[in-house]
Amino acid sequence: LIEETEGRTIPEIFTDDGESGFRVIEARVIQDALENFHGVLSLGGGAVLTESTRHALKDHPVVLIDVETDELVRRVTKSKTVRPLLAGDPAGRITELKAQREPLYREVADLVVDTDPYSPAGATAHLVVRLAAQWQNPELRA
């Protein structure tokens, strides 16, 4: 959505506007999507850094798909997606970013689902089961 709205790739936005400029754009796009899109919205890892985004998320169900750092490093280094904040030392940067962001995600999450032991299809099935249980019993927490 960000690339579509801006007509630029994420790396281009980071190069042209820096991370702070990207976060302003990201917050605006997320706010618009939360107001106008009816479906699942997958946020980038740094979306919770913006206070207005965290505040907007409180009015919506939020699922934190949790992944251990080693597994996250494995997934990210195999991906073809360009992640400007991971340049140079992906493992070290992931460790730093996860430590910084995880408390913010847990602050807004209604449900936390560990996906480490699952394939993508298995993680999806596990998530559906957890969401169904959460929906039937709002007191259930991970």
Side-chain angles (χ1 to χ4, degrees):
L1 287 175
I2 292 169
E3 289 180 345
E4 182 179 300
T5 300
E6 288 296 302
R8 299 181 284 168
T9 66
I10 301 298
E12 288 171 338
I13 296 169
F14 267 80
T15 298
D16 296 345
D17 303 352
E19 183 179 1
S20 61
F22 171 80
R23 296 291 170 215
V24 170
I25 295 166
E26 177 185 53
R28 179 176 34 82
V29 170
I30 290 170
Q31 183 66 45
D32 181 63
L34 289 172
E35 292 172 4
N36 299 307
F37 177 74
H38 301 287
V40 175
L41 183 61
S42 176
L43 302 182
V48 295
L49 296 173
T50 306
E51 186 176 350
S52 64
T53 298
R54 290 193 310 275
H55 180 73
L57 289 172
K58 290 184 187 267
D59 294 331
H60 300 274
V62 176
V63 176
L64 169 59
I65 299 175
D66 198 21
V67 180
E68 288 296 323
T69 302
D70 290 345
E71 177 61 14
L72 189 55
V73 169
R74 186 189 72 74
R75 291 179 189 180
V76 167
T77 55
K78 287 179 66 174
S79 171
K80 293 180 180 155
T81 302
V82 176
R83 301 177 187 277
L85 293 179
L86 302 182
D89 178 16
R93 289 294 293 148
I94 285 171
T95 300
E96 292 170 15
L97 294 172
K98 190 171 182 193
Q100 175 190 30
R101 297 169 177 181
E102 188 167 4
L104 299 173
Y105 266 107
R106 290 188 182 273
E107 174 187 318
V108 298
D110 298 298
L111 179 66
V112 179
V113 178
D114 174 19
T115 62
D116 281 333
Y118 303 103
S119 67
T124 302
H126 179 67
L127 179 58
V128 168
V129 168
R130 291 293 309 277
L131 285 171
Q134 173 78 11
W135 204 345
Q136 292 172 0
N137 182 2
E139 298 303 313
L140 181 65
R141 292 288 187 257

